[in-house]
């Protein structure tokens, strides 16, 4: 790949296209799998993994519930989860996209 440019003002960033999840329940299932893999690979300690699983379960319950503040409960659980896995960049980035999807729920 090459870039030919005369004058460039500002920054130039070339990043891979990241896929955004479209289905929240499916995104959470996929995230749970990658969370487990991060723990199995030693990127998360046992206590953090268990706390992250608890927040993920809280997110699942909020998603399935019919509470009037369902979106807020879901977003809060996901933000807590992002704080727990923040040391694993791939998980934190994935959660950012999932949180955006959760916030778009009506």
């Amino acid at each position: 790949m090459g870039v030919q440019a005369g004058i460039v003002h500002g920054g130039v960033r070339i990043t891979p296209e990241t896929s955004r999840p479209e289905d929240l329940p499916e995104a959470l299932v996929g995230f749970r799998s990658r969370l487990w893999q991060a723990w199995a690979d030693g990127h998360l300690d046992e206590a953090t993994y268990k706390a992250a699983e608890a927040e993920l379960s809280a997110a699942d319950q909020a998603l399935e519930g019919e509470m009037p503040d369902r979106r807020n409960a879901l977003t809060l659980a996901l933000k807590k989860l992002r704080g727990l896995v923040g040391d694993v960049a791939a998980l934190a980035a994935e959660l950012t996209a999932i949180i955006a999807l959760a916030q778009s729920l009506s």
Side-chain angles (χ1 to χ4, degrees):
M1 177 174 85
V3 175
Q4 183 176 2
I7 299 173
V8 177
H9 297 278
V12 175
R13 295 185 187 143
I14 300 173
T15 59
E17 181 87 16
T18 57
S19 63
R20 292 187 58 130
E22 294 183 18
D23 179 56
L24 191 53
E26 186 178 305
L28 292 176
V29 168
F31 182 82
R32 179 173 265 119
S33 172
R34 285 179 285 287
L35 177 67
W36 180 86
Q37 190 62 52
W39 170 75
D41 291 343
H43 299 294
L44 293 172
D45 60 67
E46 182 80 20
T48 302
Y49 173 71
K50 286 183 178 183
E53 271 291 339
E55 291 302 331
L56 196 50
S57 294
D60 287 336
Q61 289 174 351
L63 184 61
E64 294 170 1
E66 294 297 325
M67 310 177 278
D69 64 339
R70 162 182 107 137
R71 189 177 85 168
N72 290 337
L74 174 61
T75 302
L76 182 60
L78 292 173
K79 286 180 177 181
K80 288 180 181 179
L81 179 56
R82 184 176 56 188
L84 288 166
V85 300
D87 291 339
V88 182
L91 293 179
E94 183 177 355
L95 268 175
T96 299
I98 293 172
I99 289 169
L101 182 61
Q103 289 174 331
S104 70
L105 291 177
S106 55

